[in-house]
Amino acid sequence: MFNHTIENGILTCAFTGRQDTLTCTRWQPDFKNILDTFEGNIIFDMTEVDYICSLFLRICLETAKNLNTKSFRIINTTDNVKKVFEVAGFDNMMDIG
């Protein structure tokens, strides 16, 4: 799941646990509703995430593409999660740390 805050034009989504297909399918509609009405920068905080699936990668890619000139960052990734982003080539497309 995820919690979100909006402060100073920045939407921060803090994800927890395994972001597998079932989990992503549960929170994706809520995230889409937030994204449809939000105008600003977005941060995905991955501090408490130990696994991501291909659906999570697709959500990240769609989010980055929909923002156009706005900023999208992924922060606080564990080594294992960061490696998945790197293998998928996302480290060349978006700010991942």
Side-chain angles (χ1 to χ4, degrees):
M1 300 312 289
F2 78 100
N3 295 314
H4 73 282
T5 59
I6 299 174
E7 242 179 78
N8 300 323
I10 300 171
L11 169 63
T12 301
C13 298
F15 295 91
T16 58
R18 291 177 55 89
Q19 294 304 309
D20 56 26
T21 302
L22 182 59
T23 302
C24 292
T25 302
R26 288 181 181 156
W27 61 256
Q28 188 178 17
D30 292 334
F31 176 71
K32 184 170 176 12
N33 287 338
I34 293 166
L35 193 59
D36 286 346
T37 60
F38 179 75
E39 293 190 19
N41 300 327
I42 297 177
I43 295 173
F44 280 8
D45 185 344
M46 307 294 286
T47 301
E48 297 184 32
V49 175
D50 55 6
Y51 174 86
I52 58 174
C53 68
S54 60
L55 178 55
F56 189 85
L57 290 173
R58 186 169 68 224
I59 292 167
C60 291
L61 186 59
E62 289 173 357
T63 300
K65 284 184 177 182
N66 288 337
L67 290 175
N68 296 325
T69 60
K70 296 179 233 170
S71 175
F72 174 62
R73 293 178 41 218
I74 300 171
I75 62 170
N76 301 323
T77 56
T78 63
D79 289 341
N80 289 340
V81 170
K82 188 171 188 175
K83 184 174 261 182
V84 174
F85 281 115
E86 289 171 352
V87 168
F90 281 39
D91 56 326
N92 296 321
M93 296 184 279
M94 56 191 76
D95 184 6
I96 300 172

